[in-house]
Amino acid sequence: MLDSKLLRTQLQDVADRLATRGYQLDVERIEALEAQRKTVQTRTEQLQAERNARSKSIGQAKQRGEDIAPLLADVDRMASELDAGKQELEGIQAELDQLMLTLPNLPHESVPVGKDEDENVEVRRWGTPKSFDFPVQDHVALGEQHGWLDFETAAKLSGARFALMRGPIARLHRALAQFMIDLHTREHGYEEAYTPYLVQAPALQGTGQLPKFEEDLFKITREGEADFYLIPTAEVSLTNIVADEILDAKQLPLKFVAHTPCFRSEAGASGRDTRGMIRQHQFDKVEMVQIVEPDQSFEALESLTANAEKVLQLLELPYRVLALCTGDMGFGATKTYDLEVWVPSQEKYREISSCSNCGDFQARRMQARYRNPETGKPELVHTLNGSGLAVGRTLVAVLENYQQADGSVRVPEVLKPYMAGIEVIG
């Protein structure tokens, strides 16, 4: 959530910056609501002062033996007007608050301005895509040849956009997740967490999925109790660990990592990546979250991104890093790097991780703060998140980049300790 003071003092600047994201701020509506709020607030304060003065005069009139009935009637009338004014003020503020929840974060000044993904800026590449001297198969063909990757049975169980993994491929999928968790906890300083997969609405509002993106979520309605939502990413549960907390500065930075399934309805993705495991309703992800002091967040973003890159480097998978332009960033991000891994069957790079600095945007929604040691006052923390990595997409990249002419797949060197001696699948 943006700072409401910015809308009161720098409204046009906020509108201009949001416009670079393709978001058109209704400046006239906000100005009208603010003007109405100020008018009602001024009238209410004047009424309160007048009512206080009139109440005081009642006691004085009573001492003088005067008829106080007219004064009492005036006080009662003012009380009714005050109640009406307070209700009107609450209604205006509620509308402003609801509007604030729908506004995306402001892009950082270092973010390239652009309309969509075509205007993202490549920052660097690592590795060289392998040249194959045989026809390349995609991950679906490689996985289905032995029945280890089964979309037909998954569809029988759950419908489209699900996968059933068996045998060595299921083990490879598990090995990837374990390898990622071990890397981030042993070498990158993250604390492993096991989080709930079901959360309530306030947690999703805190990280920005609600109210704007409810159609992307799987919701479980419970009669007489709060609704549950399946997490779209462990970012939700990990970041909300600090919701409504005032942390000691000595606790920062906090670095959490979790391996969880993720659930997304993929609303609006009809017809996109219908083959295989690129875009599914259920997928596993190793998620990294950092909670830091404000002046550390952009340095932390570089570190977080490097942590995700290290996974790809150790797996020896070619990738590139993109700085997302203003028009392609996620709702809560002020700056984002995307990692894209090389997918041989498509002969292009595909997203495998998104690493974002959200600044104080999520913290303001969650009221996540730390006590500034210099001032002694609570201030909003900054939050960051990134995939380290999406496990299913990493499996796709391993299957395709390590395939051999006979359709078998070599196991990457760093995964061999997790595969109980299996060096080749197929």
Side-chain angles (χ1 to χ4, degrees):
M1 182 185 293
L2 300 182
D3 188 345
S4 59
K5 293 178 183 177
L6 286 176
L7 268 71
R8 290 196 294 270
T9 61
Q10 302 176 44
L11 181 57
Q12 192 55 54
D13 179 58
V14 170
D16 292 342
R17 292 173 69 184
L18 290 179
T20 68
R21 298 190 58 141
Y23 185 93
Q24 298 304 312
L25 184 63
D26 191 344
V27 173
E28 291 184 2
R29 180 58 183 155
I30 293 175
E31 287 178 334
L33 283 169
E34 273 297 326
Q36 187 181 359
R37 184 185 65 79
K38 288 178 182 177
T39 298
V40 175
Q41 186 169 339
T42 300
R43 186 174 74 240
T44 301
E45 289 172 352
Q46 289 173 343
L47 264 173
Q48 184 65 59
E50 189 176 345
R51 181 172 181 261
N52 291 343
R54 196 62 55 92
S55 296
K56 187 176 181 180
S57 67
I58 288 174
Q60 295 170 343
K62 201 171 185 180
Q63 287 179 348
R64 294 193 297 268
E66 298 175 0
D67 181 9
I68 61 172
L71 293 174
L72 288 171
D74 266 356
V75 168
D76 288 343
R77 174 184 57 79
M78 290 177 190
S80 296
E81 291 180 10
L82 269 173
D83 286 341
K86 288 177 181 177
Q87 288 179 15
E88 186 179 0
L89 199 59
E90 287 174 1
I92 295 167
Q93 191 59 54
E95 186 172 349
L96 281 167
D97 290 344
Q98 194 62 30
L99 187 150
M100 291 292 291
L101 287 173
T102 67
L103 301 184
N105 203 352
L106 297 178
H108 187 257
E109 59 187 13
S110 64
V111 174
V113 175
K115 297 187 296 296
D116 53 36
E117 61 183 14
D118 293 332
E119 297 186 68
N120 293 336
V121 176
E122 186 173 314
V123 177
R124 57 185 171 271
R125 292 191 182 199
W126 187 94
T128 303
K130 180 182 175 181
S131 296
F132 294 88
D133 57 5
F134 55 86
V136 170
Q137 297 187 71
D138 69 7
H139 68 282
V140 178
L142 291 165
E144 286 183 337
Q145 62 183 333
H146 296 292
W148 294 333
L149 189 54
D150 187 348
F151 295 98
E152 185 176 337
T153 301
K156 179 179 71 174
L157 296 171
S158 306
R161 296 191 187 274
F162 289 92
L164 172 65
M165 289 176 276
R166 298 169 60 180
I169 282 184
R171 183 164 200 148
L172 183 59
H173 183 267
R174 175 163 56 90
L176 281 165
Q178 187 65 60
F179 158 65
M180 294 174 192
I181 286 287
D182 286 348
L183 175 66
H184 295 316
T185 55
R186 293 173 182 175
E187 297 187 23
H188 298 156
Y190 289 81
E191 177 187 349
E192 183 175 0
Y194 174 82
T195 79
Y197 301 159
L198 293 167
V199 295
Q200 296 179 7
L204 289 153
Q205 180 174 298
T207 46
Q209 283 81 11
L210 287 178
K212 190 172 177 63
F213 301 105
E214 183 157 8
E215 66 174 2
D216 294 325
L217 303 169
F218 285 107
K219 181 178 180 179
I220 300 171
T221 301
R222 301 187 298 164
E223 187 174 349
E225 296 187 71
D227 294 335
F228 275 144
Y229 294 83
L230 287 162
I231 57 170
T233 165
E235 170 200 340
V236 176
S237 40
L238 290 175
T239 309
N240 274 279
I241 289 173
V242 297
D244 299 313
E245 298 286 338
I246 300 178
L247 304 168
D248 191 304
K250 294 177 181 177
Q251 295 175 262
L252 301 178
L254 289 172
K255 299 169 69 174
F256 300 120
V257 65
H259 166 219
T260 69
C262 305
F263 305 90
R264 299 184 186 177
S265 72
E266 293 296 342
S270 178
R272 295 174 59 194
D273 294 311
T274 55
R275 179 175 169 82
M277 297 180 64
I278 296 292
R279 194 178 298 276
Q280 298 199 294
H281 290 314
Q282 175 186 314
F283 59 96
D284 278 35
K285 187 150 64 77
V286 171
E287 184 74 2
M288 303 175 292
V289 162
Q290 293 195 26
I291 314 295
V292 304
E293 293 184 51
D295 61 356
Q296 300 295 315
S297 64
F298 284 97
E299 181 180 340
L301 177 60
E302 301 300 325
S303 170
L304 183 82
T305 305
N307 296 156
E309 287 184 70
K310 189 66 175 178
V311 178
L312 292 169
Q313 291 169 8
L314 291 174
L315 289 169
E316 300 182 72
L317 294 171
Y319 69 89
R320 66 176 183 171
V321 180
L322 301 176
L324 297 195
C325 71
T326 52
D328 196 37
M329 283 199 308
F331 178 77
T334 187
K335 185 172 184 177
T336 298
Y337 292 117
D338 266 10
L339 274 59
E340 295 186 343
V341 69
W342 180 253
V343 178
S345 67
Q346 299 182 15
E347 295 189 325
K348 63 181 179 181
Y349 292 95
R350 296 300 306 266
E351 180 193 338
I352 198 167
S353 173
S354 194
C355 299
S356 297
N357 181 3
C358 296
D360 61 12
F361 185 84
Q362 293 178 328
R364 184 171 288 105
R365 297 168 80 102
M366 297 186 302
Q367 280 304 289
R369 295 166 291 171
Y370 80 108
R371 195 170 298 281
N372 187 318
E374 295 183 5
T375 65
K377 296 180 179 179
E379 295 182 15
L380 295 170
V381 296
H382 280 197
T383 63
L384 302 96
N385 62 80
S387 304
L389 304 164
V391 182
R393 292 194 178 194
T394 309
L395 177 65
V396 168
V398 167
L399 290 175
E400 295 201 13
N401 282 278
Y402 280 85
Q403 66 180 289
Q404 301 185 109
D406 62 356
S408 62
V409 177
R410 290 185 298 108
V411 173
E413 196 65 33
V414 292
L415 296 184
K416 288 179 180 178
Y418 299 92
M419 292 294 289
I422 299 175
E423 297 193 1
V424 177
I425 293 174

